[in-house]
Amino acid sequence: MQSYDELFENNRAWAENIRRADPTYFERRVAGQEPHFLFIGCCDSRVPTEMLTGSKPGEMFTHRNIANQAHPNDLSMLSALEYAVEFLDVKHVLICGHYGCGGVKAAMMPPKHGVVDHWLHVVRDVYRWHMAELEQLADDAARLHRLVELNVVEQIFQLSRTPIVQRAWARGRRPILHGLVYDLHDGLLKELVSGIDGEDKARELRAQVTGPTSAEKPRHQ
Ligand code: CO
């Protein structure tokens, strides 16, 4: 799709199709949303959240940013997280990266991309913390592939440390955190970490993100 007008034509056809199959569908949506999932993904247009998970409107609360990050000082992400956890009571929080991520790739290059270089500082840290493993890989493509995965796991760890998730866990084992990666080559999701539903599991995860270069990461100790 390239034309702006086409966007509206497609929209009208989509709404008409749904109305024909289910005449009260939209009316029922007006009443409210009860999603079971918060999806935190990359902005990349090749990762169509609803399409790839078969979700319908109302089923997936979504937040996107470059390189699918959960910065502990990002008010936009934290607001979405708090609303999803406190008010929508979502059962699952997903962080979904994707192979070939341009944001993660930019973090492997010298910082000359503009504002996004500031945004990517945690991804650069992830590279530094796992440098021993990454530098052993054959080439930059292999390093990017692995850094995409390491970044997802780190972001799940960051999420587990937020007061929002900590407060929710103090009340019970909800939400459950999952770290996924989407493969552009075959359209499939792969699970990297899953079932993080409390402080005990978060501690196990901490051992994973700490890795062999733990001495360089005082904030994880
Ligand atoms: Co991306």
Side-chain angles (χ1 to χ4, degrees), residues 42 44 98 101-102:
C42 183
D44 196 299
H98 66 102
C101 181

Side-chain angles (χ1 to χ4, degrees), residues 66 71 111-121 124:
I66 290 178
H71 283 199
K112 54 182 181 185
H113 304 89
V115 172
V116 75
D117 288 316
H118 297 275
W119 177 248
L120 292 170
H121 75 95
R124 290 184 194 281

Side-chain angles (χ1 to χ4, degrees), residues 78-188:
L78 291 171
S79 302
L81 177 67
E82 185 175 70
Y83 190 74
V85 170
E86 295 286 335
F87 298 98
L88 299 174
D89 192 25
V90 295
K91 188 172 181 187
H92 303 277
V93 178
L94 317 173
I95 288 198
C96 184
H98 66 102
Y99 294 123
C101 181
V104 174
K105 192 174 181 181
M108 291 170 60
M109 297 173 183
K112 54 182 181 185
H113 304 89
V115 172
V116 75
D117 288 316
H118 297 275
W119 177 248
L120 292 170
H121 75 95
V122 172
V123 188
R124 290 184 194 281
D125 282 347
V126 175
Y127 190 99
R128 187 162 49 86
W129 297 331
H130 295 271
M131 195 180 277
E133 177 190 345
L134 291 165
E135 302 274 292
Q136 278 179 2
L137 299 173
D139 52 25
D140 277 347
R143 280 185 273 278
L144 172 60
H145 193 88
R146 183 63 183 139
L147 186 56
V148 162
E149 296 179 346
L150 292 169
N151 179 50
V152 169
V153 177
E154 173 66 25
Q155 302 308 329
I156 288 286
F157 177 72
Q158 295 287 347
L159 212 51
S160 76
R161 309 313 300 159
T162 59
I164 298 163
V165 169
Q166 294 272 314
R167 266 200 313 271
W169 282 349
R171 296 193 296 261
R173 302 194 84 92
R174 196 176 174 128
I176 309 170
L177 312 181
H178 310 270
L180 315 173
V181 63
Y182 175 71
D183 195 334
L184 298 171
H185 292 94
D186 57 15
L188 294 176

Side-chain angles (χ1 to χ4, degrees), residues 202-216:
R203 267 197 299 274
E204 288 170 26
L205 186 66
R206 182 165 56 189
Q208 265 193 55
V209 291
T210 303
T213 54
S214 59
E216 295 172 19

